[in-house]
Amino acid sequence: MIQEALDKRVHTTGIFIDLTKAYDVLNHELLLEKLSSHGIKGTTNSWFRSYLTNRRQFIEINKSDSSNVMVNRYRSSSMEIKQGVPQGLVLGPLLFLLYINDLPLNIHGANLVMFADDNNVLMMDSDVGALQNKINRVTAELEIWFNRNDLVINASKTGVMSFYNRQTSFLVKPQVTFNKKNLDYITELKFLVSI
């Protein structure tokens, strides 16, 4: 996709979104609604409700001496988990994917590349002004979707890149803003994608 745009000398901007505590903040009721819209209803949906609700967690810290013998154990009180999905199991990432599965349906004029909690948005246009307008519209749509789904974009870890070939006479760096904060342009990143 990016290489095709470069071959056609089309301006391309990518937004590489980092979500704050993506798996920890999923709204259980919204997740159950989304599961229902995917056909997971009735008894199966009730099973997921049971799986997500009335879960508790605590923190335990064990202190050992130099011989590796436990000296003290500190344990917090148990607290109910009211949002998020359990991690470390196959089901957590699967539930997250079902939660964000409708994101591409709500974003127009951009290509989304999604892999787990890495969401990448690519926008292209031969005209710089049209590209800026597209970026403004797409970021507004992203803000609405993330806010409606109780997910928070970590603006300090979300990066923007302009893609260009060496023959380009000037580098195009449109302004990209999320929640009234300008995002920083980056020169490199790890791009996770399933092939």
Side-chain angles (χ1 to χ4, degrees), residues 112-116 118 120 190-195:
L112 272 72
V113 180
M114 299 166 55
F115 184 75
D118 290 319
N120 308 300
K190 290 183 180 174
F191 186 65
L192 300 177
V193 67
S194 176
I195 297 176

Side-chain angles (χ1 to χ4, degrees), residues 2 6 10-14 16 122 161-165 168 171-172 189:
I2 295 171
L6 292 175
V10 173
H11 303 294
T12 304
T13 299
F16 301 89
L122 300 170
M161 278 188 160
S162 276
F163 298 93
Y164 59 95
N165 56 33
T168 302
L171 178 60
V172 175
L189 77 128

Side-chain angles (χ1 to χ4, degrees), residues 1 28 34 67 70 102 128-129:
M1 189 177 336
H28 289 168
K34 289 181 181 230
S67 309
M70 189 170 59
D102 63 333
V128 176

Side-chain angles (χ1 to χ4, degrees), residues 9-83:
R9 298 186 186 276
V10 173
H11 303 294
T12 304
T13 299
I15 305 172
F16 301 89
I17 299 172
D18 182 86
L19 295 174
T20 301
K21 299 185 177 193
Y23 291 88
D24 297 332
V25 298
L26 296 188
N27 178 312
H28 289 168
E29 288 304 315
L30 193 53
L31 175 58
L32 292 166
E33 286 175 28
K34 289 181 181 230
L35 290 174
S36 182
S37 73
H38 287 293
I40 301 170
K41 301 177 181 188
T43 304
T44 308
N45 193 282
S46 295
W47 181 88
F48 277 104
R49 179 177 298 282
S50 172
Y51 175 74
L52 293 168
T53 56
N54 298 319
R55 297 181 76 88
R56 303 186 73 75
Q57 72 179 14
F58 62 88
I59 297 173
E60 183 174 281
I61 301 172
N62 296 323
K63 182 178 179 186
S64 301
D65 64 12
S66 59
S67 309
N68 212 20
V69 174
M70 189 170 59
V71 179
N72 290 323
R73 173 181 285 166
Y74 304 97
R75 185 174 177 178
S76 70
S77 57
S78 177
M79 296 184 67
E80 184 178 357
I81 301 171
K82 296 183 179 182
Q83 59 188 24

